[in-house]
Amino acid sequence: MLPEKLTQALNDQFNNELQAAHSYTAMAAYFSEKGYHGFANFYLVQSREEHFHAMKFYEYLVTMDEKPVVQSLSEPKNNYVSAMDVVESSLAQEKEVTSNIYALVTLADELQEHATLSFLDWFIEEQMEEEKMFRDIITRLKGAGEGGEYFLKMNDEFAARKLEE
Ligand SMILES: [Fe+2]
Ligand SMILES: [Fe+2]
């Protein structure tokens, strides 16, 4: 068992990760509609990654003899004006998740819950990688007109992205 406050915070993050998956699926749809199937694939894989993150929290709660509780999802943003808009929103979303993870670490530290601190280490690393990934895509998009030659090259590259677990 875990302190109630920590269980609640971990459960909230379980649901935040599901919400992130939901949001990335909506971002994929921006690209699918435009016919940029490589970018769409990138975002669909990203959505599955977030679901995988959610399930890490699920499993951790179960391991600690707590029950995961699924909450309702809210409607994600479904209207984007450009590829850059999508990627900038992705980075903003990841920064938000990073601060959620940091708040969880702070709470676990206050409560001296060392198992939870150890569990959360993986997420600290993951957030560093995800923020960097989106920052790098923003840099590349700055030099590429949407639909232009370099953009289509990125689209081909993203078509090959597969789920890594
Ligand atoms: Fe995540
Ligand atoms: Fe993420």
Side-chain angles (χ1 to χ4, degrees):
M1 302 293 276
L2 292 167
E4 197 183 333
K5 209 175 156 191
L6 185 59
T7 300
Q8 261 177 27
L10 288 163
N11 196 73
D12 284 347
Q13 192 55 31
F14 161 53
N15 282 277
N16 285 342
E17 301 284 348
L18 290 175
Q19 184 68 44
H22 206 39
S23 169
Y24 282 129
T25 302
M27 292 183 191
Y30 168 84
F31 294 108
S32 289
E33 192 207 15
K34 300 245 160 183
Y36 301 136
H37 302 300
F39 277 90
N41 173 66
F42 177 94
Y43 273 94
L44 290 173
V45 169
Q46 187 64 24
S47 175
R48 290 172 64 201
E49 264 208 19
E50 298 301 346
H51 189 265
F52 168 69
H53 297 168
M55 296 319 289
K56 273 180 155 333
F57 281 95
Y58 179 104
E59 296 294 347
Y60 183 68
L61 286 163
V62 171
T63 300
M64 301 312 274
D65 202 20
E66 299 290 353
K67 185 183 178 217
V69 180
V70 178
Q71 298 157 353
S72 57
L73 296 172
S74 55
E75 184 179 332
K77 187 178 169 189
N78 275 295
N79 292 301
Y80 291 95
V81 297
S82 64
M84 186 63 102
D85 184 24
V86 176
V87 184
E88 281 176 343
S89 300
S90 308
L91 179 59
Q93 178 171 299
E94 290 302 335
K95 284 182 171 172
E96 185 83 36
V97 172
T98 301
S99 51
N100 292 336
I101 298 288
Y102 284 9
L104 261 175
V105 171
T106 303
L107 179 63
D109 191 46
E110 278 167 12
L111 297 170
Q112 304 247 304
E113 286 291 332
H114 297 280
T116 301
L117 285 171
S118 164
F119 165 73
L120 290 171
D121 269 347
W122 185 89
F123 284 93
I124 294 174
E125 290 274 331
E126 179 68 11
Q127 286 310 117
M128 278 167 55
E129 284 172 20
E130 297 229 306
E131 286 191 26
K132 179 180 189 302
M133 176 178 74
F134 285 118
R135 271 201 312 275
D136 288 350
I137 296 172
I138 288 169
T139 302
R140 295 177 70 190
L141 277 182
K142 274 184 187 153
E146 188 165 337
E149 195 178 338
Y150 186 69
F151 182 88
L152 295 177
K153 209 182 121 194
M154 288 173 77
N155 187 56
D156 286 345
E157 176 189 322
F158 290 155
R161 186 180 186 199
K162 287 193 176 68
L163 190 66
E164 288 171 40
E165 285 182 8

